Every structure is written in C-alpha cells, then in structure tokens.
C-alpha cells in the first residue's frame, strides 16, 4: 500500500526547494539550447530541475517510475505502477523571456489513474495541488467546485499559435468561438492555464498539441473540482502520447464541444 501522505509531504518539500533554486537562477545568465525547432527552448535550469526531482524520487521511492520532459526519466510503454509525470519548467519561453508565467508541473499516477497533482507558479509562489477524492487547493485554500458558466460570460484561453493555419484543426472554428465568448487569453504555460481553469480564473483552455507532462497535473486538479478534460473531439486523453487538449468547467465543456468543435 502506498503512503500517499508521505509522497505528498515529500513532493511539497522538493517543489519548495526547486522553486527557490529557480528564483535564485534569475540572477545568473542561462544556457539556452533549442530542441525540435528554433522556438522550442530548453535551459540548464530545466535540466537541473528535472535531475533534482528524478534523483529525489529514485532515492526515496525506488519502485516508482518517471516520465520527464527532458528525457532523464524512464522510457515507458505503459502507466502500470506508480508513475511520476514531471515537467520541470512548463513555459520555458516565458521563463527565458519574462521570468514569470511558468510552472513546475508534477502528476503522480497509479495504474493510469491520477492520484496527486501539483502546479507551482514559481514567480508568484502559488502552489495548486490536488489529491484524488480529497479536493484541490491553492496555497492551502480549498478551491470550490466549478459551476456552469454561460458562454457569453466565459473567459477562455487558447494556444496563440492556433491563429496560424495548421494541420491539426480548422482555425475558423476558433474564430467563431472567440467571437462568442467574453474574452480570450493566452499565457504560454499549459500547466498554469489548466491550474487557472481549476481555480476559476479561466473557464476553458484549448490547445492543439500537448505532451503528457504538460497536462498530467492540471488534469488531476481540474477533475478534482468537477471540471472536464478531453481532447478537442471530446475523447479521453492518451496519457502516454501527444494530444489536443480541451479543459473546461462542466456545462461549458459540452456547449463548446457540441456547438464549436465537433462537425455540425
Ligand atoms: C510548452 C507550454 C506551452 C505549450 C507548448 C508546450 P514547455 O511547454 O506548455 O504553453 O503551448 O505546447 O510545449 O516546452 O515550455 O515545457
Ligand atoms: Ca511543457
Ligand atoms: Ca518543460
């Protein structure tokens, strides 16, 4: 039997320590590299932070497995067992350019079911966390269950690259949606945007292509407050591969899905 209280205690300590180290790094120059394309950035701090979490998890919970964005974890073909899904810095471009609007994102899954989720806004020192069945919290204050919001009053977030014609989705659907809602935002950190949905700062978040480490923690947070997380076709997310993601407060998920996303 896993001791979830002990796992939770450890993650909080590690997140606090990693957050301090990242804030200290603001004073030093970064070593920046690119990955899949010139705008896909990774820094020495992303790598160091991932290494920090992985070595702590391996030392403290040797039976657990790890999926990490920077590739220092395990290569998994299933989510059997306890799996930590870690994005050491989600929103690296914001980290590099703005020193804000980025987060540490950690989801702990048991046989594919999300048990613990953490999104830590490092600059604002805001920790969003949830334990399955025990509610979601922001800095110790419980987040209320989400209620249905009429589409005319909805504040939504989208990935701004969607404005460009793309192979994944008909962007005209988004234009229609943007015309209907109260406002549209784009923050550049999927984990934070999902934490904002969980905390009611946003009503929905839609994006074309995310990896499991981008949404693993946010999904747990949102589901814990009664929100819905699916792909843009309304199907469950595949936790081992890339997906489009549509996260929303409950009634609004259905409205947007049926009136804007699915073929009419
Ligand atoms: C990125 C951010 C961004 C999303 C990208 C992700 P990274 O994560 O979440 O908001 O649009 O698809 O790759 O690379 O900064 O960890
Ligand atoms: Ca990410
Ligand atoms: Ca990252």
């Amino acid at each position: 039997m896993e001791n979830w209280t002990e796992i939770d205690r450890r993650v909080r300590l590690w997140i606090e320590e990693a957050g301090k180290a990242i804030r200290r790094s603001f004073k030093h120059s970064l070593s920046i590299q690119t990955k899949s394309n010139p705008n896909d950035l990774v820094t020495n701090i992303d790598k160091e932070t991932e290494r920090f979490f992985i070595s702590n998890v391996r030392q403290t919970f040797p039976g657990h497995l790890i999926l990490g964005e920077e590739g220092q974890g395990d290569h998994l073909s299933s989510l059997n067992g306890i799996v930590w899904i870690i994005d050491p810095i989600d929103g690296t471009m914001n980290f590099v350019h703005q020193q804000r609007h980025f987060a540490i994102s950690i989801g702990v899954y048991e046989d594919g079911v999300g048990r613990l989720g953490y999104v830590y806004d490092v600059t604002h020192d805001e920790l969003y966390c949830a334990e399955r069945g025990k509610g979601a919290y922001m800095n110790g204050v419980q987040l209320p269950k989400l209620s249905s919001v009429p589409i005319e009053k909805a504040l939504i977030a989208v990935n701004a690259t969607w404005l460009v014609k793309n192979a994944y989705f008909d962007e005209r659907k988004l234009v229609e949606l943007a015309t209907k809602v109260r406002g549209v935002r784009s923050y550049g950190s999927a984990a934070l945007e999902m934490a904002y949905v969980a905390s009611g700062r946003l009503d929905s978040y839609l994006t074309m292509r995310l990896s499991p480490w981008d949404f693993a923690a946010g999904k747990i947070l949102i589901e814990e407050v009664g929100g819905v997380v699916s792909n843009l076709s309304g199907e469950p997310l595949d936790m081992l591969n890339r997906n489009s993601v549509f996260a929303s407060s409950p009634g609004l998920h259905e409205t947007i899905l049926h009136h804007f996303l699915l073929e009419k």
Side-chain angles (χ1 to χ4, degrees):
M1 261 280 277
E2 289 304 321
N3 184 343
W4 293 103
T5 309
E6 178 57 10
I7 298 174
D8 175 61
R9 190 181 73 82
R10 295 286 184 150
V11 194
R12 287 168 188 273
L13 288 174
W14 298 336
I15 287 177
E16 198 183 325
E17 199 177 329
K20 281 185 190 152
I22 294 172
R23 286 191 295 269
R24 277 198 302 273
S25 81
F26 288 165
K27 296 192 201 98
H28 307 285
S29 59
L30 292 168
S31 153
I32 304 166
Q33 292 169 318
T34 59
K35 295 193 285 184
S36 60
N37 65 64
N39 300 326
D40 185 9
L41 308 180
V42 62
T43 73
N44 54 317
I45 305 299
D46 296 64
K47 291 179 186 166
E48 279 167 30
T49 307
E50 181 170 287
R51 209 173 302 125
F52 168 79
F53 282 112
I54 290 179
S55 70
N56 277 303
V57 174
R58 291 218 193 286
Q59 224 170 8
T60 319
F61 305 108
H64 294 186
L65 297 162
I66 302 158
L67 197 60
E69 171 162 26
E70 306 312 337
Q72 301 169 94
D74 300 298
H75 296 282
L76 302 181
S77 54
S78 93
L79 282 186
N80 292 343
I82 307 286
V83 180
W84 294 61
I85 307 182
I86 300 176
D87 193 339
I89 295 186
D90 180 67
T92 297
M93 197 182 290
N94 290 347
F95 169 61
V96 168
H97 285 259
Q98 307 181 328
Q99 297 189 339
R100 67 192 65 212
H101 303 312
F102 66 91
I104 295 171
S105 173
I106 299 180
V108 188
Y109 281 68
E110 181 181 38
D111 296 329
V113 177
R115 296 298 301 254
L116 297 169
Y118 306 84
V119 173
Y120 181 53
D121 179 337
V122 176
T123 310
H124 296 105
D125 189 24
E126 287 181 344
L127 177 64
Y128 301 82
C129 62
E131 180 170 353
R132 188 180 169 79
K134 297 197 174 165
Y137 293 79
M138 201 277 271
N139 282 357
V141 178
Q142 184 157 16
L143 298 173
K145 289 273 179 197
L146 298 176
S147 51
S148 187
V149 176
I151 193 153
E152 296 78 11
K153 291 190 176 165
L155 182 60
I156 69 167
V158 299
N159 182 333
T161 54
W162 208 334
L163 299 173
V164 180
K165 200 165 179 52
N166 68 86
Y168 306 105
F169 196 75
D170 180 353
E171 68 283 357
R172 283 171 303 183
K173 293 180 182 179
L174 187 68
V175 174
E176 268 183 55
L177 176 62
T179 315
K180 189 83 179 174
V181 295
R182 180 173 271 174
V184 184
R185 300 288 182 269
S186 190
Y187 295 97
S189 160
L192 266 189
E193 285 162 302
M194 291 181 81
Y196 288 176
V197 172
S199 57
R201 290 178 174 183
L202 287 171
D203 300 303
S204 297
Y205 169 60
L206 302 91
T207 189
M208 289 174 299
R209 235 152 87 97
L210 291 182
S211 297
W213 38 80
D214 300 315
F215 57 74
K219 181 173 184 290
I220 300 171
L221 291 170
I222 292 173
E223 290 177 345
E224 203 44 41
V225 289
V228 186
V229 182
S230 69
N231 66 17
L232 290 170
S233 306
E235 298 154 347
L237 298 183
D238 172 348
M239 296 305 301
L240 284 172
N241 290 294
R242 284 180 166 178
N243 296 250
S244 62
V245 171
F246 172 32
S248 183
S249 56
L252 189 61
H253 188 278
E254 217 171 303
T255 307
I256 293 180
L257 187 65
H258 292 290
H259 294 281
F260 296 91
L261 302 182
L262 298 180
E263 293 306 327
K264 287 173 216 165

